[in-house]
Amino acid sequence: MGDAASGRGRVVSPPRTVEEIYKDYRARRSAILRAVTHDVEDFYAQCDPEKENLCLYGYANEAWEVALPAEEVPTELPEPALGINFARDGMNRRDWLALVAVHSDSWLLAVAFYYAARLNRNDRKRLFGMINDLQTVFEVVSGVRQSKERSSMDNGGRAKPSVKVENNGKSADEAYGEDDSDHGETLCGTCGGIYSADEFWIGCDICERWYHGKCVKITPAKAESIKHYKCPSCCSKRARQ
């Protein structure tokens, strides 16, 4: 990949405004999320402990890559954690992915605030607020729920129905007196997209993560006949056991 496309090396037109930096952050974050969730089998295979020090890169075009670190010193951008492949076989797989996620979150913030160094104090604060409204990669990978998502549980301690449907202008959530703002931190477990009431979503009854119907190939009609939905990730885990 070329420098401008990949984000490695010299960037031709780096983001400068709060909105541009936030867009860059979200794109890189989406790439990382895809690597450790939807493409996890491919990512796991590429992190061969027999290879040299490897890093996980997320690029501004939402592509990810497992590669050797940049050779130039100092580097144009902050570098991600080095040698993530060495710990792969010495840890429980879920714990290893969580470790990669934590280091990736640190790297994403480092890149964002490298670009934000020339912003004024108020703009940096606004940028961090926008970033902080998103779940971290670690929270998505580990299944940690943010406070607003926990509030979606009813008084009996049981989760509300797992399907979020927008139908003729009225969503299933509206029946519970909720609006879009109640789900602003809900992210798709596959693509990392933020919840929107005008899209069909379905929640896994095993890991409790939410997914765009289109990302897991479930239509509203098909969802009506599903009593307990199990996402592809949970299905693959059960198959390996």
Side-chain angles (χ1 to χ4, degrees):
M1 281 185 278
D3 289 344
S6 71
R8 295 185 71 176
R10 184 168 296 280
V11 180
V12 176
S13 181
R16 297 185 183 280
T17 67
V18 171
E19 289 71 23
E20 289 173 347
I21 297 171
Y22 178 66
K23 181 179 179 181
D24 181 90
Y25 173 88
R26 286 199 60 176
R28 294 175 186 273
R29 172 180 169 277
S30 292
I32 297 293
L33 279 172
R34 185 172 294 110
V36 297
T37 56
H38 187 265
D39 298 342
V40 67
E41 298 300 332
D42 186 20
F43 169 62
Y44 189 85
Q46 289 191 39
C47 291
D48 186 350
E50 298 300 318
K51 295 182 179 179
E52 295 184 47
N53 293 298
L54 296 176
C55 303
L56 172 59
Y57 292 89
Y59 299 135
N61 63 357
E62 298 191 17
W64 62 270
E65 180 184 24
V66 173
L68 293 171
E71 294 183 1
E72 67 270 19
V73 178
T75 57
E76 180 66 21
L77 290 174
E79 284 287 295
L82 182 66
I84 58 171
N85 51 315
F86 294 149
R88 192 196 72 176
D89 292 347
M91 301 177 64
N92 173 277
R93 176 166 164 155
R94 184 180 180 88
D95 292 339
W96 176 73
L97 288 171
L99 179 65
V100 171
V102 169
H103 282 296
S104 296
D105 283 321
S106 299
W107 176 67
L108 289 168
L109 285 172
V111 172
F113 281 87
Y114 172 85
Y115 287 134
R118 293 175 177 80
L119 297 178
N120 62 41
R121 177 181 178 182
N122 289 336
D123 282 345
R124 288 196 304 271
K125 183 176 181 180
R126 183 161 68 92
L127 174 63
F128 181 75
M130 294 166 69
I131 290 174
N132 203 40
D133 281 340
L134 298 173
Q135 280 187 302
T136 63
V137 177
F138 171 74
E139 286 172 334
V140 174
V141 169
S142 65
V144 173
R145 294 301 192 189
Q146 298 213 9
S147 58
K148 283 190 177 181
E149 291 183 57
R150 289 196 181 98
S151 69
S152 67
M153 304 293 285
D154 63 22
N155 291 333
R158 297 178 61 84
K160 291 178 179 176
S162 295
V163 179
K164 299 182 178 184
V165 188
E166 181 75 14
N167 185 18
N168 295 326
K170 184 176 181 180
S171 68
D173 284 330
E174 287 176 353
Y176 292 92
E178 300 179 353
D179 58 28
D180 237 13
S181 62
D182 292 321
H183 303 278
E185 295 171 352
T186 302
L187 302 178
C188 175
T190 295
C191 72
I194 299 176
Y195 171 73
S196 174
D198 59 1
E199 297 177 300
F200 169 71
W201 286 64
I202 188 166
C204 176
D205 290 305
I206 305 300
C207 67
E208 298 185 351
R209 292 177 183 168
W210 291 93
Y211 298 86
H212 285 113
K214 62 184 179 182
C215 289
V216 290
K217 299 180 180 179
I218 299 292
T219 64
K222 187 175 181 179
E224 291 296 325
S225 62
I226 299 176
K227 292 184 177 180
H228 299 287
Y229 175 67
K230 187 185 299 182
C231 71
S233 178
C234 289
C235 287
S236 63
K237 289 178 182 177
R238 178 61 62 88
R240 290 196 297 269
Q241 292 177 350

